[in-house]
Amino acid sequence: MSSDLDAPPRTDNWHTMSMEAVASQLGTSVKVGLLDSDVAVRQAQYGYNELQADHGPTWFKILARQLMDAMNWIFLVFAVASFCLGDYPTGAMLIVITLLNLYLSFSQEYAAEQTLAALRNLSSPMAEVIREGKHLEIASRELVPGDLLLLKEGDAVAADVRLTYVSNLEMDEALLTGESLPVSKDASIELKSKDEPLGDRVNMAYSSTVVAKGRGQGIVVYTAMQTEIGKIATKLNEASDGDTTQLQKQLNKMYIALMVAAVVCVIIVLGSVKFQANYDIGMYAMTAAMSVLPAGLTTVLTASLVMGGKEMTKQKAIVRKLKCLETLGSINQIFSDKTGTLTMARMAVVHFWTRQQGFFYVEPNGLAPVGKVHHTMTLTTPSDKDDNKDAPLDMTEAMNKLVECAALCNMASIHRRRDDDGSLSDNDAPSTVIDAEKDKKGKNADVDSALNTDDQWVGGGAPTEVALQVFAHKLGMGKPDLEAKGWDLLQEYQFDSTIKRMSTLYMEKDGALDLFTKGAAERVVPLCRDLDNAAKQEILATVDELAAKGLRVMALAHRQVNIGLKEARAASRDAMEQDLVFLGLTGIYDPPRPESKQAVEEAHRAGISVHMLTGDHEITATAIAKEIKILDETTMSAETLRRLVMTGTQFDAMTDDEIDALEELPLVVARCSPETKVKMINASKRRNNISAMTGDGVNDSPSLRIADVGIAMGKNGSDVAKQASDIILTDDNFATIIRAIAEGRRIYQNMQRFLMYYWICLASGAIVILVALALRDPSGRSVAPLSTIQMILIYICITPPAGSLSIQPASKTVMMEPPRPTNENLFNKEI
């Protein structure tokens, strides 16, 4: 963190300057961002983009907290009593054990706090920037003034920026301004007043505010403590008071009960001699009290939770809230997204269809824009024996328009990963790169090995859009190629989960306006003017045919806009998205993760029901669910399969009473909206289930918050979703959820082992001491089977084995047992 002397010259006038003037003053570019060499210099000059704040309790606060521990004071009182009774060895030993307990408790809690701080850093937000023309994802702490920062829906803005481009951008600035409604932004405006209120600076976006809608781009003007949020020294962190676990609450109650038990033991000992105490009786009473007071138990168990959270990071699950570790063992229902969680999110267009020419097959090659297109007429894959396999493709005007729509109704990009010598950048048109490779290796050369690996091509954007962009590049009509020919983006109508489509408005080189639309077929087809009922039925039947193959189906359409530029910009979305011309359908395949089927089967063996909530078509969702055994055709009847699959519309239309009357909740919900997820979680809660919910979008945050365990996606999740979650998956993998549940069960299982061992040792000592009161020596005094020093030695001897029990591996049957009842206390009947 840099000091104020290192900070850029303070000016609050960025909102009054043009974007070009801002770029010039900060030595950057609104097109390609900073150079790598500039970044290194500025990083050294300005430091990390971090707020100066408390990163957890300091060592002296932790020490002070341990000094306030009642157990330490009890042992100290016993030590003073020993000195008063003249038993200096026992008093000295009690002082030693008090200091030892203080040291061990302090060191364990300090290590736990350091681990928690490390976990918080692991879950810190990322930022997407453009540097040297390349789209990069970096840790937000690495931002520097002059960076070109990209913003999308759900992002928490990582620094103060002067906006240079917006598309329907609205910001939630309640944190700074108190205004509850999102603020619409406009990058082209240059405000006049230097003293314009923050809420009226529509060409600025401020650190820690949230993108409520749309997307944008801007130049970072301030980072760290120079930001508006830094100026008021505010840090958005969860309050630690709210993270008290159920276990910690149970332990606090236990200590109160044990202190009462210790007092009772003292009274019993004193009562046995009719309260006529002497030195021996005093030491006996002290030993009896100590026999029921476990020193350091709370610290050890809490540290076990923290270490369990650290272990889960190795399983690619970052724990944000300790209390979820106890809940994991009770989960009996998982509600999971499909794309990227159950599937690989490596989408590829493998089929497309037009009404005029029928089906086409596209050879998939990952992100590499290489692969032949075959006209198959029917929904088949051409074989090597097919005589027409290598026939040239007849690119009709309708097909050209379909490919243009795939490329231009699209905010994604792909580029060849830059080599060490800096030879290929994302500004190189991929079609040119491919042609160059073919020229080097010959017309029939196998270029797959050079181009089809995931580590040589990089995609930026939503997986579906990346797949469509790769498809367009394969036909030599990628977005960079078309924009180089004069196509200019005027406006974007972002994808909306409620209407399940998006559109873009483009101007051609000759000034003509075109609107391109893509989305769910049932939402796009009704907007097309060139289709009669028979044609619509044909299209929807084709959608079902593609979806039955497990493909995500996108409908594409367009229209020529015959109004002026000014009128088109001012027109409403509904007015623009009408009278469309249908272009065709694309079938996008997203293969299930290899481990998903095994993970689902493991969940079923552990008594956990897996539900898939997806925005896909009902038939597509059903096909994938059958493939990974969420739906099992071997054990479920056809009627059961139909009953367990619903659309979001069907589920949302049901009342709570109707949902509660269902034999079981649907296992697959297709065309699911964020509101459907909330309704599903509430229905699960009414059945007294413990549920985990996955989510990645800003609209998923309500369901993540109300779920017993909210799980956000680390790769593709929005910052808002991550902040609402309890756990973040760094690999977005469903199998990681199952591993996390297994780890949660292991932690709980070990705690019970630990407590069982501890209480056997202490309870046996307490029983021996109290029973021995009935035994008398020849002089009539009670026999003391254990002295206070011996009790101290027992403490010292039993603690190391007890601690080792808390880190034991799980039993082999831990994931073959049913979930733990939610009302089961850690201190169960067995203990």
Side-chain angles (χ1 to χ4, degrees):
M1 197 25 240
S2 62
S3 66
D4 290 343
L5 295 175
D6 291 328
R10 183 80 206 180
T11 174
D12 291 323
N13 302 336
W14 300 111
H15 57 283
T16 66
M17 301 166 61
S18 68
M19 61 186 76
E20 292 80 10
V22 172
S24 176
Q25 183 161 334
L26 290 173
T28 188
S29 165
V30 296
K31 296 290 186 181
V32 299
L34 291 173
L35 301 177
D36 289 340
S37 56
D38 292 336
V39 172
V41 172
R42 297 184 190 208
Q43 190 77 72
Q45 181 181 1
Y46 302 134
Y48 287 120
N49 177 33
E50 294 177 325
L51 295 176
Q52 290 176 340
D54 185 11
H55 293 282
T58 55
W59 68 267
F60 56 85
K61 287 183 180 178
I62 296 173
L63 182 60
R65 197 154 58 206
Q66 293 303 323
L67 288 173
M68 297 302 294
D69 188 346
M71 285 301 302
N72 290 323
W73 283 103
I74 289 172
F75 284 124
L76 199 58
V77 168
F78 286 166
V80 171
S82 297
F83 285 126
C84 291
L85 292 171
D87 190 344
Y88 297 107
T90 300
M93 284 294 291
L94 283 168
I95 291 290
V96 169
I97 197 172
T98 300
L99 294 175
L100 182 63
N101 184 57
L102 184 66
Y103 169 74
L104 291 175
S105 299
F106 167 77
S107 60
Q108 285 180 324
E109 185 168 350
Y110 185 73
E113 290 293 345
Q114 294 295 100
T115 301
L116 283 176
L119 293 180
R120 282 193 291 267
N121 288 337
L122 284 175
S123 62
S124 62
M126 304 294 286
E128 190 175 352
V129 297
I130 296 177
R131 289 178 177 173
E132 293 193 353
K134 295 184 298 182
H135 289 242
L136 303 173
E137 188 176 42
I138 63 172
S140 61
R141 68 196 295 264
E142 296 176 6
L143 282 173
V144 295
D147 259 326
L148 198 55
L149 180 65
L150 302 178
L151 304 174
K152 62 181 184 299
E153 184 174 321
D155 281 356
V157 183
D160 288 358
V161 301
R162 168 60 164 92
L163 296 169
T164 59
Y165 164 79
V166 298
S167 175
N168 303 318
L169 183 65
E170 294 184 5
M171 302 295 303
D172 180 356
E173 298 180 340
L175 177 70
L176 286 176
T177 66
E179 176 58 52
S180 59
L181 296 177
V183 179
S184 181
K185 297 294 181 176
D186 187 342
S188 62
I189 291 179
E190 297 173 26
L191 300 172
K192 303 300 182 184
S193 173
K194 296 179 181 180
D195 300 321
E196 198 77 40
L198 288 181
D200 295 335
R201 298 181 186 180
V202 294
N203 56 6
M204 299 286 295
Y206 292 102
S207 176
S208 298
T209 60
V210 176
V211 181
K213 180 182 177 183
R215 69 178 78 239
Q217 177 179 300
I219 299 171
V220 173
V221 294
Y222 287 125
T223 59
M225 297 303 290
Q226 291 293 307
T227 62
E228 291 296 329
I229 198 72
K231 286 164 60 180
I232 58 175
T234 300
K235 185 175 176 64
L236 296 177
N237 271 339
E238 296 82 12
S240 58
D241 294 342
D243 202 31
T244 302
T245 71
Q246 188 65 28
L247 171 64
Q248 290 168 330
K249 293 176 182 177
Q250 291 175 10
L251 288 174
N252 291 338
K253 293 178 181 178
M254 178 203 72
Y255 263 140
I256 294 174
L258 290 179
M259 287 180 187
V260 172
V263 172
V264 170
C265 287
V266 171
I267 293 173
I268 291 173
V269 172
L270 294 176
S272 68
V273 294
K274 300 179 180 180
F275 294 91
Q276 295 178 0
N278 55 26
Y279 168 80
D280 292 333
I281 293 299
M283 297 306 295
Y284 200 118
M286 192 183 305
T287 303
M290 288 180 60
S291 69
V292 295
L293 293 174
L297 179 62
T298 303
T299 302
V300 172
L301 287 179
T302 304
S304 297
L305 276 179
V306 175
M307 294 304 109
K310 183 178 181 181
E311 182 65 27
M312 284 181 63
T313 62
K314 300 176 183 177
Q315 306 288 342
K316 300 185 178 180
I318 299 172
V319 178
R320 298 185 66 251
K321 299 175 184 176
L322 277 183
K323 59 187 176 184
C324 77
L325 288 176
E326 300 170 43
T327 310
L328 282 172
S330 298
I331 288 175
N332 58 6
Q333 290 198 333
I334 301 174
F335 298 95
S336 175
D337 287 330
K338 178 183 76 70
T339 302
T341 307
L342 291 164
T343 61
M344 298 178 70
R346 292 182 180 177
M347 297 188 178
V349 176
V350 292
H351 291 281
F352 68 94
W353 177 86
T354 66
R355 290 187 62 215
Q356 298 81 7
Q357 295 173 279
F359 285 100
F360 293 79
Y361 173 74
V362 185
E363 293 180 358
N365 276 310
L367 290 179
V370 179
K372 295 180 180 179
V373 179
H374 307 277
H375 190 187
T376 58
M377 299 296 291
T378 59
L379 187 55
T380 58
T381 301
S383 65
D384 293 334
K385 297 180 180 179
D386 191 343
D387 295 336
N388 296 322
K389 186 173 184 290
D390 296 321
L393 188 65
D394 180 19
M395 288 292 293
T396 64
E397 183 179 349
M399 273 188 62
N400 275 316
K401 213 63 178 175
L402 181 143
V403 180
E404 285 177 356
C405 183
L408 297 177
C409 188
N410 196 319
M411 293 295 113
S413 63
I414 63 169
H415 63 270
R416 186 87 177 271
R417 192 182 297 277
R418 174 172 289 208
D419 297 331
D420 292 338
D421 61 3
S423 55
L424 286 172
S425 74
D426 58 332
N427 293 325
D428 297 315
S431 58
T432 305
V433 174
I434 296 163
D435 291 340
E437 290 284 347
K438 289 181 178 178
D439 290 341
K440 288 179 183 178
K441 299 189 177 187
K443 185 175 180 180
N444 298 319
D446 181 13
V447 297
D448 286 356
S449 61
L451 297 176
N452 70 351
T453 55
D454 288 332
D455 61 348
Q456 291 189 354
W457 289 90
V458 180
T464 303
E465 294 200 328
V466 170
L468 290 169
Q469 199 62 251
V470 171
F471 163 64
H473 278 76
K474 287 179 180 179
L475 292 169
M477 299 172 65
K479 192 173 182 179
D481 299 301
L482 296 177
E483 290 183 340
K485 293 178 180 178
W487 288 90
D488 185 26
L489 176 64
L490 300 178
Q491 192 151 333
E492 173 197 358
Y493 301 97
Q494 262 206 319
F495 177 80
D496 188 326
S497 60
T498 59
I499 59 176
K500 298 191 182 302
R501 64 175 182 267
M502 74 164 287
S503 299
T504 53
L505 179 64
Y506 268 85
M507 177 184 286
E508 297 186 54
K509 192 173 184 179
D510 60 4
L513 301 181
D514 282 83
L515 183 85
F516 295 101
T517 299
K518 75 170 188 291
E522 63 268 27
R523 299 302 182 95
V524 173
V525 168
L527 303 177
C528 297
R529 58 179 169 79
D530 61 326
L531 303 175
D532 55 23
N533 287 334
K536 291 178 180 179
Q537 291 303 316
E538 178 192 13
I539 293 170
L540 295 178
T542 305
V543 169
D544 291 346
E545 189 177 356
L546 287 164
K549 296 286 187 180
L551 304 180
R552 169 174 284 192
V553 184
M554 302 291 291
L556 292 87
H558 88 111
R559 64 170 285 202
Q560 290 185 336
V561 180
N562 298 318
I563 58 177
L565 175 59
K566 186 175 181 180
E567 290 81 359
R569 286 183 179 274
S572 67
R573 178 170 188 165
D574 289 340
M576 296 297 289
E577 291 180 333
Q578 62 178 344
D579 295 330
L580 303 177
V581 175
F582 181 78
L583 295 174
L585 303 171
T586 59
I588 303 173
Y589 185 56
D590 182 16
R593 292 179 182 269
E595 61 272 26
S596 288
K597 180 180 176 181
Q598 180 181 347
V600 170
E601 291 174 341
E602 187 176 356
H604 289 162
R605 286 195 298 271
I608 301 170
S609 175
V610 180
H611 303 251
M612 185 172 78
L613 311 181
T614 177
D616 275 347
H617 190 278
E618 181 180 355
I619 297 176
T620 304
T622 302
I624 296 295
K626 289 178 179 177
E627 190 171 348
I628 59 177
K629 296 300 183 181
I630 289 178
L631 298 175
D632 192 344
E633 293 179 288
T634 62
T635 59
M636 298 177 179
S637 65
E639 175 59 33
T640 301
L641 290 172
R642 283 193 294 272
R643 177 170 53 81
L644 293 178
V645 178
M646 285 188 180
T647 64
T649 303
Q650 292 170 334
F651 189 79
D652 290 341
M654 299 176 71
T655 64
D656 289 347
D657 290 339
E658 289 173 334
I659 293 173
D660 294 342
L662 294 174
E663 185 177 337
E664 57 184 307
L665 294 175
L667 295 180
V668 176
V669 179
R671 296 299 192 220
C672 179
S673 68
E675 292 75 18
T676 309
K677 292 185 176 183
V678 172
K679 192 167 186 176
M680 181 69 81
I681 287 292
N682 287 330
S684 179
K685 283 181 177 291
R686 291 196 300 273
R687 294 172 182 243
N688 297 318
N689 292 319
I690 301 299
S691 57
M693 170 66 78
T694 70
D696 53 11
V698 61
N699 291 332
D700 289 333
S701 56
S703 60
L704 291 174
R705 288 186 186 279
I706 65 173
D708 296 288
V709 178
I711 303 173
M713 302 297 107
K715 285 185 176 179
N716 298 314
S718 67
D719 292 338
V720 172
K722 292 175 185 176
Q723 291 167 5
S725 68
D726 302 302
I727 294 175
I728 299 174
L729 302 184
T730 60
D731 60 353
D732 293 6
N733 191 341
F734 177 81
T736 302
I737 301 174
I738 305 303
R739 290 196 296 268
I741 291 174
E743 180 63 22
R745 291 188 177 190
R746 182 195 71 83
I747 292 170
Y748 197 88
Q749 192 178 72
N750 284 342
M751 285 182 175
Q752 288 193 315
R753 290 172 178 169
F754 174 91
L755 285 172
M756 177 68 74
Y757 167 84
Y758 216 102
W759 287 120
I760 287 174
C761 295
L762 291 180
S764 59
I767 291 171
V768 167
I769 290 170
L770 293 178
V771 170
L773 287 172
L775 304 177
R776 303 285 174 170
D777 61 15
S779 63
R781 293 179 303 179
S782 298
V783 175
L786 293 172
S787 68
T788 306
I789 290 181
Q790 288 172 321
M791 196 69 225
I792 292 171
L793 291 175
I794 289 176
Y795 271 130
I796 295 172
C797 291
I798 69 172
T799 300
S804 66
L805 283 175
S806 66
I807 57 173
Q808 291 295 305
S811 67
K812 294 181 179 180
T813 61
V814 70
M815 289 301 285
M816 297 180 185
E817 301 166 3
R820 188 182 73 252
T822 55
N823 59 354
E824 179 183 308
N825 195 302
L826 182 63
F827 304 95
N828 56 18
K829 293 179 180 179
E830 187 178 14
I831 293 178

